[in-house]
């Protein structure tokens, strides 16, 4: 099973991917790590601020990694903001059966009520070295962008409106059910 996790900055993508890694022991790919490896190695002139261009640059690489994992019947968690809203068009119906998709977004009310907490927990899984541009307004605008784009392309958005921990716990439980069904199906096929 492939689990794609996207959403804007600070929504808990990395936190959720880490939880799933611990729960299922699936390998985990951070698109941010791939991005920084390509930037630091000089394989691109793009910078970390070139978000739209980075999506166009990184997605074809990530897409083909996902396809390879599907072909090899491997499990993989892929996390990052560089997944385009129309990602499904790049996969066959067969491939889509192996992919589970999660898009995280925060409501304005959640941001208003929890902004300080959001910033305080920004480095829980990975240390953010540069955190100067995150404001109420920028965080809201980024979340609106994801909600609008992914909704327009027919994707379901997991809205964080009240309880961050409970929302992520629900996602992990849902994926656990899918994981168990897949394990049982593979056991039956091998008998």
């Amino acid at each position: 099973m492939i689990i794609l996790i996207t959403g804007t900055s600070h929504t808990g993508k990395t936190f959720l991917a880490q939880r799933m890694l611990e729960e299922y022991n699936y390998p985990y790919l951070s698109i941010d790590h791939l991005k920084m490896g390509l930037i630091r190695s000089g394989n691109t002139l793009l910078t970390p601020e070139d978000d739209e261009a980075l999506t166009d640059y990184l997605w074809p690489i990530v897409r083909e990694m996902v396809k390879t994992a599907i072909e090899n019947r491997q499990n993989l968690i892929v996390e990052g903001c560089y997944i385009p809203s129309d990602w499904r068009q790049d996969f066959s119906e067969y491939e889509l059966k192996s992919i589970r998709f999660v898009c995280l977004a925060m409501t304005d009310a959640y941001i208003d009520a929890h902004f300080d907490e959001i910033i305080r927990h920004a480095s829980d899984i990975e240390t953010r070295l540069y955190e100067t541009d995150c404001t109420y307004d920028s965080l809201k605008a980024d979340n609106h962008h994801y909600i609008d784009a992914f909704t327009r392309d027919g994707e379901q958005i997991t809205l964080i409106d009240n309880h961050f921990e409970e929302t992520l716990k629900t996602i992990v439980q849902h994926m656990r059910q899918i994981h168990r069904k897949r394990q049982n199906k593979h056991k039956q096929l091998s008998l």
Side-chain angles (χ1 to χ4, degrees):
M1 176 168 57
I2 308 299
I3 302 172
L4 297 180
I5 303 170
T6 196
T8 191
S9 183
H10 295 85
T11 53
K13 299 179 304 294
T14 306
F15 187 78
L16 178 60
Q18 182 68 33
R19 282 253 177 104
M20 289 184 173
L21 171 125
E22 293 166 2
E23 173 86 15
Y24 314 121
N25 295 315
Y26 288 2
Y28 157 43
L29 169 69
S30 166
I31 302 175
D32 278 341
H33 292 171
L34 176 62
K35 168 189 77 176
M36 292 311 297
L38 291 165
I39 289 171
R40 288 180 172 168
S41 67
N43 282 294
T44 181
L45 297 176
L46 296 171
T47 70
E49 288 77 37
D50 297 324
D51 282 339
E52 193 170 318
L54 280 165
T55 299
D56 294 341
Y57 181 70
L58 293 168
W59 177 243
I61 299 166
V62 172
R63 175 192 69 215
E64 297 308 315
M65 292 172 76
V66 167
K67 288 182 178 185
T68 300
I70 292 169
E71 288 169 6
N72 293 334
R73 295 185 182 185
Q74 294 173 300
N75 298 312
L76 181 63
I77 300 165
V78 178
E79 170 270 317
C81 62
Y82 303 106
I83 298 173
S85 60
D86 63 351
W87 67 272
R88 286 183 191 271
Q89 73 180 7
D90 294 329
F91 295 96
S92 69
E93 287 300 315
Y94 171 79
E95 292 165 332
L96 287 170
K97 290 177 184 176
S98 296
I99 301 172
R100 299 297 172 263
F101 177 74
V102 177
C103 181
L104 298 172
M106 297 176 187
T107 65
D108 286 352
Y110 184 83
I111 294 167
D112 287 336
H114 300 277
F115 184 77
D116 291 338
E117 185 179 345
I118 292 166
I119 298 303
R120 189 171 56 252
H121 289 286
S123 292
D124 282 357
I125 301 297
E126 61 183 352
T127 301
R128 293 174 186 260
L129 299 177
Y130 308 103
E131 196 60 60
T132 58
D133 60 346
C134 186
T135 66
Y136 280 96
D137 292 338
S138 67
L139 194 54
K140 287 178 182 180
D142 289 347
N143 277 273
H144 283 275
H145 172 76
Y146 270 78
I147 292 167
D148 294 344
F150 282 90
T151 300
R152 183 178 55 248
D153 282 319
E155 296 296 341
Q156 183 177 347
I157 312 296
T158 300
L159 286 177
I160 301 166
D161 188 35
N162 244 340
H163 303 287
F164 176 80
E165 283 283 337
E166 285 301 314
T167 302
L168 296 190
K169 188 176 182 180
T170 300
I171 294 168
V172 171
Q173 289 171 345
H174 176 71
M175 292 296 175
R176 183 183 304 128
Q177 292 170 348
I178 294 169
H179 174 76
R180 285 184 182 152
K181 285 180 185 177
R182 288 178 59 86
Q183 283 184 318
N184 289 338
K185 183 179 178 181
H186 288 295
K187 284 180 186 176
Q188 290 173 351
L189 291 174
S190 64
L191 294 178

